[in-house]
């Protein structure tokens, strides 16, 4: 073990020497470095002019997934003209539409003929919605509607037919299917909250009308949708209430919900300044560090601006969740500030300013570097994610942490130098005027008020400069951690904590409820909630054949039958629904398979009939009249659970893969289901990389096997706690919470590294070294945790699930990180921490490393601790 201890001292001394040399360089050129850093940050900030925003639900789905690739294949294989032949099952996406759900205000049965005049008026109200375009002028729904057989396609308009009204009067509306004009209609997509007796609808809570619009003229369709949204929001009726949405409502409301909460940042910025200033208001009118607190917050703000500009220049798009990043960076920056100021407080005022800054960088510079490097690499791992939201958030946040670190190592060290030069000259922190000492002012019989406001002198010990918030919490912790009865209590509490954490992880759920992405006051929340709870969520899944095969052969038809049979064996796939052009064609009068030419001509004749028109988008011919692509459709049960949706998608794909045909399964919903398949392995992979990074970085800076294992195990324990307790806060694993969990790794190592590194630097027996470590790192850890909580506190009042879940997880991380670092780690170190003697003569030999053309010989000693805890004697 002595070998590792010597290696640790050599590593510590080598890095310490480099950081001290650098610190002295900054101390000799503070103003130049401050101006340079400010100029660079502001200059890069102009990159914000190129900021591009990416919104919508697909930022939370994996890129290059099987479903997204299949969607591209669908678009390449099949040509659809929604202005002529609109069929929803043929679309590669959810299409463009405006939808309205109608309920009675009294909650009664909507299937009441007395309401049909109001329903008809509502239909006309929507149908006559007028939009305006600068090129074509004003237009209504009829001008832009999706058409079939030259008529606008409004799903649900069958409720206005004479046959439906007659069946409603006689109580013979079948459910869930209904025969309308000889076609089977799944009426459970139109009638919601139905009460059924003997397959007949007796009453219903709601009706749904969906006005489909053209996809080819999307710009005009968007204009009409926005006109619909504006007009429908003004609708009122004495008997009816409505809930409405259009195809882009989720994207719009998601972006509005997130960006609307960014106004909290200004409040957070103010709170952070107040907390930092209050914490650093210790000492007297000379040693007061208020200005350093303000400078630290300003440096963090500059880092945010510079990093945003740089990443924007590099082309990374701003996703909604990046709006939470500034809150996080404020907390990280203030944590670094407290660590640096703690190191500065440990130096002697008798030394020169250059010496003191150098010694501060020797001790605290290394600690800040360890945590910052680990945070940045952890987010680099997140930047490799397949989820755009995770990837872009990681780019922005990782870059911001790097900028924050660089700013504190340059700009803030310069600010510290200027402040210490002021202190050395006995200048007032506020007025910048020369100040008399308290003794001199008392001798000249000045008033107590004037002495309080004006007297001051450089500090002689750490206690004189620290404020109450820095001083007293760590003193209390020392007494708790090094007192045997409370040590037993700590062990019991952590045993219970581990038990609950492990229990929580066993019940951890995956999934993302779309309702969580918008505020409860959003019109889309009401619509989506009603749609999910009252109407069928069955999926139409297409089985797509993507190359030329001979459909005329019986063997090919048998393969298609086998394909459908295998898929329909699944309990959640209907075995009585099949929309198949080849089955329908073979049953028609024009079917002819005597030759390839007759087969094709018969098929084209069939597709031109009323019976075959429904399949017109399902068979594609090339210029030589060969079939180059085709598809048949099946239907699934109504499924709303995210896990069940993902499982069903996987099972259907597995069934399809059994076929020898070149076929793949696709439904627009699969795009969203992909996240539920990939989220767990992606999270585990990223966390594994992050833990590995923690291990490697710790091994580089603290090459003591015990410390490496201790820091790594502590990180894992905190992560298990956070993941386990997520269950108790009704959160699930999704691409949103995955981001928060990745962040967890960075914060997990921050506090534990500060404590362990301080312990390694200390001298004496284990108890003495624990006490010194708490002196050195305890205050900054407390203040860092509190500042980070303040940084995200305003998000607790957010209406956004993205921001509110961010707050919940960050609070867990801060609480668990704090108790592990100031209670559990000191307790372990007090009993089994590594013991070795730091030989001051072992300072790493200087190899004439120069900055500014000057050589520096570096030495550093730690102050002897004062025994103020049980057993220190």
């Amino acid at each position: 073990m002595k070998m590792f201890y010597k290696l640790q001292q050599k590593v510590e001394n080598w890095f310490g020497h480099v950081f001290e040399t650098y610190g002295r360089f900054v101390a000799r050129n503070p103003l130049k470095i401050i101006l340079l850093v400010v100029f660079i940050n502001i200059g890069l900030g102009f990159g914000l002019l190129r900021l591009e925003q990416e919104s919508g639900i697909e930022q939370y789905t994996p890129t290059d997934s099987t479903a997204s690739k299949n969607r591209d294949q669908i678009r390449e294989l099949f040509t659809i003209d929604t202005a002529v032949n609109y069929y929803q099952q043929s679309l590669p996406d959810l299409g463009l539409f405006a939808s309205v759900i109608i309920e009675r205000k009294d909650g009664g049965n909507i299937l009441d003929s007395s309401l049909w005049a109001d329903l008809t008026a509502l239909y006309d109200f929507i149908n006559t919605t007028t939009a305006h375009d600068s090129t074509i002028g004003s237009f209504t729904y009829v001008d832009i509607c999706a058409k079939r057989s030259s008529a606008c396609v409004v799903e649900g308009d069958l409720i206005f037919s004479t046959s439906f009204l007659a069946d409603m009067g006689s109580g013979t509306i079948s459910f869930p299917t209904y025969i309308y004009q000889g076609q089977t209609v799944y009426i459970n997509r139109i009638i919601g909250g139905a009460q059924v007796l003997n397959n007949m609808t007796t009453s219903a809570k709601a009706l749904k009308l969906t006005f489909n619009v053209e996809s080819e003229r999307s710009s005009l369709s968007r204009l009409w949708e926005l006109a619909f949204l504006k007009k429908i929001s003004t609708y009122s009726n004495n008997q009816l209430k409505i809930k409405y949405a259009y195809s882009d409502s989720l994207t719009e409301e998601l972006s509005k919900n997130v960006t609307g909460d960014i106004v909290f940042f200004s409040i957070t910025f103010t709170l952070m300044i107040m907390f930092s200033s209050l914490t650093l208001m210790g000492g007297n009118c000379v040693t007061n560090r208020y200005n350093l607190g303000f400078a630290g917050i300003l440096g963090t703000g500059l880092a945010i601006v510079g990093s945003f500009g740089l990443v924007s220049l590099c082309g990374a798009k701003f996703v909604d969740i990046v709006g939470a990043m500034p809150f996080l960076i404020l907390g990280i920056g203030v944590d670094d500030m407290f660590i640096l100021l703690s190191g500065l407080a440990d130096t002697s005022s008798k030394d020169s300013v250059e010496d003191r800054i150098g010694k501060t960088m020797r001790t605290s510079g290394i600690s800040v570097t360890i945590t910052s490097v680990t945070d940045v690499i952890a987010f680099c791992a997140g930047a490799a994610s397949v989820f755009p939201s995770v990837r872009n958030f990681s780019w922005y946040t990782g870059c911001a942490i790097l900028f924050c670190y660089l700013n504190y190592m340059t700009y803030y060290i310069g600010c510290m130098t200027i402040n210490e030069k002021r202190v050395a000259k006995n200048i007032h922190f506020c007025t910048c005027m020369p100040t008399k000492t308290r003794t001199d002012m008392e001798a000249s019989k000045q008033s107590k008020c004037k002495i309080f406001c004006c007297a001051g002198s450089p500090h002689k010990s750490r206690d004189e400069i620290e404020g109450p918030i820095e001083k007293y919490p760590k003193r209390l912790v020392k007494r708790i951690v090094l007192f045997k009865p409370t040590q037993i209590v700590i062990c019991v509490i952590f045993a219970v904590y581990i038990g609950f954490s492990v229990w929580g992880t066993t019940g951890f759920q995956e999934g993302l409820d779309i309702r969580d992405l918008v505020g409860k006051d959003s019109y889309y929340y009401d619509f989506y909630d009603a749609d999910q709870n009252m109407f069928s969520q069955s999926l139409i899944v297409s089985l797509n054949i993507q190359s030329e095969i001979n459909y005329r052969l019986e063997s090919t038809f048998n393969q298609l039958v086998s394909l459908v049979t295998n898929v329909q064996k699944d309990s959640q796939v209907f075995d009585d629904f099949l929309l198949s052009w080849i089955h329908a064609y073979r049953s028609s009068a024009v079917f002819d398979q005597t030759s390839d030419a007759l087969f094709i001509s018969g098929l084209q004749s069939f597709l031109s009939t009323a019976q075959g028109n429904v399949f017109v988008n399902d068979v594609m011919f090339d210029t030589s009249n060969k079939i180059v692509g085709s598809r048949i459709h099946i239907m699934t049960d109504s499924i709303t659970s995210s896990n069940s949706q993902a499982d069903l998608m996987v099972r259907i794909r597995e069934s399809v893969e059994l076929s020898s045909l070149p076929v793949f399964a696709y439904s627009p919903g699969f795009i969203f289901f992909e996240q539920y398949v990939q989220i767990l392995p992606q999270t585990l992979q990223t966390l594994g990389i992050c833990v590995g990074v923690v291990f490697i970085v710790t091994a580089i800076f603290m090459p003591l096997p015990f410390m490496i294992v201790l820091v790594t195990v502590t990180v894992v324990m905190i992560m298990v706690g956070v993941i386990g307790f997520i269950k108790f806060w009704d959160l699930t694993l999704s691409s949103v919470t995955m981001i928060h969990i990745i962040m967890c790794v960075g914060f997990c190592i921050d506090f534990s590294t500060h404590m362990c590194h301080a312990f390694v630097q200390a001298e004496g027996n284990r108890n003495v070294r624990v006490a010194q470590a708490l002196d050195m790192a305890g205050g900054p850890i407390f203040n860092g945790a509190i500042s980070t909580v303040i940084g995200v506190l305003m998000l607790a009042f957010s209406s956004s699930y993205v921001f509110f879940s961010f707050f919940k997880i960050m609070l867990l991380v801060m609480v668990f990180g704090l108790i592990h670092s100031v209670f559990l780690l000191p307790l372990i170190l007090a009993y089994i921490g590594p013991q070795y003697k730091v030989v001051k003569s072992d300072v790493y030999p200087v190899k004439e490393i120069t900055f500014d053309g000057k050589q520096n010989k570096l030495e550093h000693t730690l102050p002897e601790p004062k025994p103020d805890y049980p057993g220190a004697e």
Side-chain angles (χ1 to χ4, degrees):
M1 294 301 289
K2 289 183 179 180
M3 175 184 67
F4 289 111
Y5 298 151
K6 288 183 178 180
L7 177 61
Q8 163 61 31
Q9 289 187 3
K10 287 184 178 181
V11 169
E12 186 75 25
N13 288 329
W14 190 89
F15 279 113
H17 171 71
V18 172
F19 277 97
E20 186 170 350
T21 305
Y22 169 74
R24 289 172 178 272
F25 167 74
V26 176
R28 291 193 295 271
N29 305 278
L31 190 57
K32 292 179 183 178
I33 290 175
I34 291 173
L35 292 176
L36 178 63
V37 170
V38 170
F39 177 78
I40 292 173
N41 279 269
I42 293 177
L44 288 173
F46 283 102
L48 286 168
L49 296 174
R50 295 190 59 183
L51 181 70
E52 293 183 36
Q53 186 169 1
E54 180 179 356
S55 192
I57 185 62
E58 287 202 28
Q59 65 181 286
Y60 299 105
T61 63
T63 52
D64 294 326
S65 64
T66 301
S68 62
K69 292 176 181 177
N70 289 159
R71 180 173 59 184
D72 293 340
Q73 290 175 291
I74 293 286
R75 287 171 172 161
E76 187 176 336
L77 274 175
F78 301 97
T79 303
I80 303 167
D81 187 352
T82 58
V84 178
N85 288 302
Y86 175 88
Y87 288 96
Q88 187 180 18
Q89 72 271 12
S90 303
L91 300 179
D93 48 40
L94 298 178
L96 303 180
F97 60 86
S99 190
V100 59
I101 293 174
I102 311 126
E103 300 174 78
R104 290 181 62 148
K105 284 187 174 179
D106 60 8
N109 180 20
I110 193 71
L111 299 178
D112 184 342
S113 58
S114 66
L115 299 175
W116 248 245
D118 291 325
L119 289 171
T120 303
L122 172 61
Y123 180 86
D124 293 337
F125 181 81
I126 299 173
N127 211 32
T128 56
T129 298
T130 303
H132 181 79
D133 177 69
S134 58
T135 303
I136 68 171
S138 298
F139 60 96
T140 63
Y141 174 68
V142 175
D143 300 314
I144 200 67
C145 68
K147 294 184 179 67
R148 182 191 311 145
S149 302
S150 300
C152 292
V153 180
V154 179
E155 186 177 10
D157 62 353
L158 64 82
I159 65 173
F160 300 108
S161 66
T162 304
S163 59
F164 183 87
L165 291 172
D167 290 339
M168 185 175 69
S170 61
T172 55
I173 300 175
S174 59
F175 195 92
T177 57
Y178 176 73
I179 304 300
Y180 176 66
Q181 295 182 348
Q183 300 290 327
T184 300
V185 177
Y186 277 80
I187 200 72
N188 56 358
R189 302 170 69 92
I190 300 169
I191 297 177
Q195 296 293 318
V196 180
L197 180 64
N198 296 326
N199 293 329
M200 293 296 170
T201 308
T202 57
S203 66
K205 292 287 185 182
L207 296 169
K208 182 165 71 170
L209 297 172
T210 301
F211 294 77
N212 298 292
V213 291
E214 289 183 30
S215 298
E216 288 72 27
R217 294 190 290 172
S218 58
S219 59
L220 294 179
S221 296
R222 287 298 187 203
L223 288 174
W224 184 86
E225 287 179 327
L226 293 173
F228 158 82
L229 184 65
K230 183 176 181 180
K231 185 176 183 180
I232 200 68
S233 63
T234 66
Y235 177 81
S236 63
N237 185 276
N238 293 329
Q239 299 187 78
L240 301 177
K241 63 178 180 179
I242 61 170
K243 296 167 182 176
Y244 52 88
Y246 73 102
S247 56
D248 209 34
S249 284
L250 178 57
T251 299
E252 173 206 344
E253 290 298 288
L254 174 60
S255 181
K256 182 192 300 182
N257 193 34
V258 174
T259 55
D261 287 318
I262 297 178
V263 297
F264 287 134
F265 181 69
S266 58
I267 302 175
T268 301
F269 200 83
T270 304
L271 288 175
M272 196 67 77
I273 291 175
M274 291 173 59
F275 172 75
S276 300
S277 302
L278 180 64
T279 303
L280 300 175
M281 285 287 278
N284 52 55
C285 294
V286 171
T287 59
N288 193 302
R289 296 171 294 169
Y290 170 86
N291 295 328
L292 286 178
F294 185 82
I297 301 298
L298 182 60
T300 304
L302 287 171
I304 294 170
V305 172
S307 62
F308 259 77
L310 178 61
V311 178
S312 299
L313 284 171
C314 292
K317 293 184 178 180
F318 180 95
V319 293
D320 298 322
I321 198 170
V322 174
M325 182 269 278
F327 299 91
L328 173 67
I329 299 302
L330 275 175
I332 292 176
V334 174
D335 178 38
D336 291 345
M337 178 182 72
F338 285 129
I339 289 293
L340 290 171
L341 291 179
S342 177
L344 182 62
D346 236 17
T347 60
S348 173
S349 59
K350 296 179 181 179
D351 295 336
S352 68
V353 172
E354 183 178 326
D355 288 342
R356 297 181 63 207
I357 295 298
K359 291 176 181 179
T360 299
M361 286 299 292
R362 170 179 276 274
T363 55
S364 300
I366 295 177
S367 186
V368 169
T369 300
I370 295 173
T371 58
S372 297
V373 168
T374 308
D375 287 344
V376 170
I377 297 178
F379 280 105
C380 286
S385 172
V386 298
F387 293 94
S389 57
V390 177
R391 185 169 60 245
N392 289 14
F393 180 86
S394 297
W395 275 117
Y396 274 93
T397 307
C399 187
I401 293 174
L402 178 60
F403 269 62
C404 195
Y405 168 72
L406 294 176
N407 279 10
Y408 272 93
M409 292 292 102
T410 52
Y411 157 88
Y412 194 69
I413 297 299
C415 292
M416 288 168 58
T417 300
I418 293 173
N419 183 75
E420 290 309 300
K421 287 182 178 180
R422 175 192 62 79
V423 172
K425 294 177 181 179
N426 221 58
I427 293 177
H428 196 283
F429 85 99
C430 183
T431 65
C432 295
M433 299 292 291
T435 302
K436 293 182 179 181
T437 66
R438 184 181 187 91
T439 304
D440 291 341
M441 293 190 76
E442 287 176 346
S444 59
K445 298 183 179 179
Q446 299 290 340
S447 66
K448 290 183 178 179
C449 180
K450 188 172 183 179
I451 292 173
F452 177 79
C453 295
C454 300
S457 59
H459 71 285
K460 296 179 181 178
S461 67
R462 185 186 187 100
D463 282 349
E464 290 182 15
I465 197 174
E466 288 186 330
I469 299 178
E470 294 177 288
K471 191 181 302 182
Y472 297 117
K474 65 184 182 184
R475 288 185 180 179
L476 177 62
V477 170
K478 278 194 287 187
R479 293 186 175 274
I480 292 173
V481 170
L482 298 174
F483 186 49
K484 290 191 181 297
T486 52
Q487 289 176 343
I488 297 172
V489 174
I490 292 173
C491 292
V492 171
I493 291 174
F494 270 92
V496 173
Y497 157 81
I498 291 296
F500 274 98
S501 299
V502 173
W503 177 43
T505 57
T506 60
F508 194 51
Q509 298 294 318
E510 299 174 52
L512 178 64
D513 191 334
I514 300 299
R515 281 166 288 207
D516 290 333
L517 296 178
V518 297
K520 290 188 177 181
D521 56 348
S522 165
Y523 71 87
Y524 185 75
Y525 182 96
D526 294 333
F527 174 87
Y528 185 83
D529 186 64
D531 191 38
Q532 291 286 303
N533 290 327
M534 291 194 288
F535 295 91
S536 171
Q537 302 302 312
S538 295
L539 291 175
I540 294 181
V541 180
S542 60
L543 307 178
N544 307 273
I545 300 170
Q546 54 184 328
S547 62
E548 293 183 27
I549 60 173
N550 195 334
Y551 292 93
R552 181 178 68 87
L553 301 177
E554 283 295 328
S555 59
T556 302
F557 179 69
N558 291 335
Q559 286 178 303
L560 290 170
V561 171
S562 176
L563 168 67
V564 172
T565 302
N566 284 336
V567 174
Q568 290 185 334
K569 284 179 181 178
D570 193 288
S571 60
Q572 291 182 310
V573 177
F574 293 151
D575 57 7
D576 57 353
F577 177 93
L578 180 63
L579 201 57
S580 169
W581 65 271
I582 194 166
H583 286 75
Y585 173 43
R586 289 173 68 92
S587 302
S588 70
V590 295
F591 173 66
D592 191 339
Q593 63 178 152
T594 54
S595 69
D596 292 343
L598 291 175
F599 179 86
I600 295 297
S601 62
L603 174 59
Q604 291 175 330
S605 298
F606 169 71
L607 295 176
S608 64
T609 65
Q611 180 190 0
N613 184 258
V614 68
F615 305 109
V616 72
N617 296 324
D618 294 339
V619 186
M620 291 293 120
F621 301 93
D622 64 9
T623 54
S624 59
N625 276 339
K626 291 182 179 180
I627 300 175
V628 293
S630 73
R631 58 187 167 189
I632 55 183
H633 306 277
I634 58 169
M635 182 179 283
T636 73
D637 199 354
S638 181
I639 305 171
T640 56
S641 164
S642 55
N643 287 335
S644 299
Q645 290 169 338
D647 291 342
L648 177 61
M649 177 182 70
V650 171
R651 292 199 307 272
I652 289 176
R653 285 176 176 170
E654 289 174 349
S655 297
V656 168
E657 287 172 0
L658 296 175
S659 174
S660 58
L661 295 170
V663 61
F664 63 89
Y666 175 77
S667 175
F670 284 5
I671 297 290
F672 313 112
F673 300 168
E674 288 281 9
Q675 64 174 306
Y676 310 134
V677 175
Q678 297 198 33
I679 189 64
L680 183 58
Q682 273 281 304
T683 302
L684 294 176
Q685 173 184 314
T686 306
L687 287 179
I689 294 172
C690 292
V691 172
V693 168
V694 169
F695 187 91
I696 293 171
V697 173
T698 306
I700 292 173
F701 287 94
M702 288 190 296
L704 294 173
F706 181 83
M707 287 302 188
I708 297 170
V709 173
L710 184 60
V711 170
T712 306
V713 170
T714 302
V715 168
V716 173
M717 284 178 64
I718 299 173
M719 286 167 49
V720 170
V722 170
I723 294 172
F725 275 75
I726 281 177
K727 170 192 174 182
F728 305 123
W729 235 342
D730 295 326
L731 296 175
T732 57
L733 178 62
S734 65
S735 55
V736 174
T737 51
M738 176 186 175
I739 295 172
H740 309 332
I741 293 171
I742 292 172
M743 287 189 309
C744 166
V745 179
F747 282 98
C748 289
I749 190 176
D750 278 8
F751 296 159
S752 57
T753 299
H754 292 328
M755 184 58 62
C756 290
H757 187 255
F759 180 85
V760 168
Q761 289 183 311
E763 301 174 9
N765 62 37
R766 286 175 176 144
N767 280 0
V768 172
R769 294 170 69 195
V770 165
Q772 286 187 36
L774 287 169
D775 264 332
M776 185 72 178
I781 288 174
F782 268 107
N783 294 331
I786 294 171
S787 65
T788 304
V789 170
I790 292 174
V792 299
L793 181 62
M794 295 308 299
L795 300 183
F797 304 99
S798 171
S799 59
S800 165
Y801 170 82
V802 173
F803 282 2
F804 189 50
S805 62
F806 184 96
F807 164 76
K808 285 182 173 181
I809 294 180
M810 283 307 302
L811 184 60
L812 288 176
V813 173
M814 287 300 103
V815 171
F816 293 161
L818 181 64
I819 62 175
H820 277 77
S821 60
V822 300
F823 290 106
L824 182 63
L825 280 178
L827 177 59
I828 294 173
L829 293 171
Y831 278 94
I832 58 174
Q835 294 191 92
Y836 58 93
K837 184 177 181 180
V838 178
V839 182
K840 295 180 182 177
S841 60
D842 283 346
V843 174
Y844 194 84
V846 179
K847 295 184 179 179
E848 296 187 350
I849 297 177
T850 61
F851 267 99
D852 220 15
K854 298 180 181 180
Q855 295 180 359
N856 296 279
K857 186 171 181 178
L858 310 175
E859 293 183 355
H860 177 64
T861 58
L862 289 169
E864 294 297 328
K866 295 181 180 180
D868 60 346
Y869 50 89
E873 296 81 4

